[in-house]
Amino acid sequence: MQALAIAIFALVMLPLPYLLHSDFQITFLTLAMFAAYLGQAWNVLGGYGGQFSFGHAAFFGTGAYVSAILQLSFGLNPWLAMIVAALGGGLVGLVVGFLSFRYGLRGSYFALVTLAFAEVLRILANTVPFTGAGVGLLVPLHQGAANFQFADKAGFYDVILVLTVLSLLVALWLENSRFGAWLSAVRENEEAARALGVNAFRVKLAAITLSGAMAGIGGTFYLQMFLFVDPFIAYGPAGSVEMLLVPTIG
């Protein structure tokens, strides 16, 4: 039933940009699905895992900066840079998770640690030269689908629709997989899950890595849509709050 709902969503949303004649409406729907995608990235860890993060901007911003630096300094194609950005976001998630879960941080302690990591990365990005420091990085305009830059707003709409559907499929997989069951067990009662043989540390570490990788992809999408990133956009607290509000309120 859930798979059918996802299929219906995709079929209904797919033709919309070709039926609408307003760039404003297409951009609005694109940003709405972008928020939904980032909300699902947060939901992997916060919703299914019960580990409330206040610092998902650390993963999003890393993805955006990795993609920008690879394009500007190494001439890497942005589609390939998005893959590396996912690895970058996942790696930051792995580091944050290892340092947090290794010492048993939960609840508000974990939330504050993630917020602190995002703030540290914001300060670093505001200082070091390869991130453009406080000025930020501007990606040159080279329109074309091969460059992940679309003259038509429908191009970005189609990309974020695919990403949103994939994020929903990830959620569906978590609903029906053994890993998802382990993650839900850790969320409900970590001690009981451990008593039943669940390796809570590994499960939470895998969840934050996956969540970070998804957020990193979101960072690349933002960069390609707006062609600019600076420390506040990448790592500011507003981004983290927006990501957690979507699944929390929804």
Side-chain angles (χ1 to χ4, degrees), residues 28-120:
F28 176 81
L29 290 174
T30 300
L31 293 177
M33 283 195 289
F34 180 57
Y37 171 78
L38 291 178
Q40 281 289 7
W42 187 93
N43 193 43
V44 170
L45 179 67
Y48 287 101
Q51 311 300 312
F52 272 55
S53 164
F54 283 2
H56 253 58
F59 317 136
F60 169 86
T62 297
Y65 268 119
V66 165
S67 186
I69 292 168
L70 288 175
Q71 290 181 65
L72 294 173
S73 299
F74 302 97
L76 190 65
N77 181 273
W79 293 105
L80 297 177
M82 182 166 64
I83 298 173
V84 184
L87 296 176
L91 179 61
V92 173
L94 182 66
V95 172
V96 173
F98 181 83
L99 295 176
S100 301
F101 302 140
R102 175 69 177 79
Y103 297 101
L105 297 182
R106 303 186 206 172
S108 58
Y109 296 103
F110 174 73
L112 291 174
V113 163
T114 57
L115 180 62
F117 268 101
E119 186 63 13
V120 167

Side-chain angles (χ1 to χ4, degrees), residues 47-215:
Y48 287 101
Q51 311 300 312
F52 272 55
S53 164
F54 283 2
H56 253 58
F59 317 136
F60 169 86
T62 297
Y65 268 119
V66 165
S67 186
I69 292 168
L70 288 175
Q71 290 181 65
L72 294 173
S73 299
F74 302 97
L76 190 65
N77 181 273
W79 293 105
L80 297 177
M82 182 166 64
I83 298 173
V84 184
L87 296 176
L91 179 61
V92 173
L94 182 66
V95 172
V96 173
F98 181 83
L99 295 176
S100 301
F101 302 140
R102 175 69 177 79
Y103 297 101
L105 297 182
R106 303 186 206 172
S108 58
Y109 296 103
F110 174 73
L112 291 174
V113 163
T114 57
L115 180 62
F117 268 101
E119 186 63 13
V120 167
L121 289 174
R122 186 190 67 80
I123 293 171
L124 288 174
N126 208 35
T127 305
V128 295
F130 62 83
T131 61
V135 178
L137 296 175
L138 181 66
V139 176
L141 179 63
H142 298 296
Q143 285 185 347
N147 293 323
F148 203 155
Q149 296 181 18
F150 304 98
D152 190 345
K153 300 292 184 183
F156 289 107
Y157 179 95
D158 290 339
V159 172
I160 197 59
L161 176 59
V162 171
L163 290 176
T164 303
V165 169
L166 289 176
S167 72
L168 293 172
L169 291 175
V170 169
L172 181 61
W173 169 69
L174 288 173
E175 290 278 356
N176 298 283
S177 67
R178 179 170 295 184
F179 174 75
W182 291 341
L183 194 57
S184 297
V186 170
R187 176 192 65 204
E188 296 301 326
N189 191 318
E190 188 168 327
E191 286 73 20
R194 284 176 175 165
L196 292 172
V198 176
N199 190 322
F201 174 72
R202 288 186 180 179
V203 168
K204 292 191 292 184
L205 201 59
I208 196 172
T209 302
L210 174 59
S211 184
M214 292 173 66

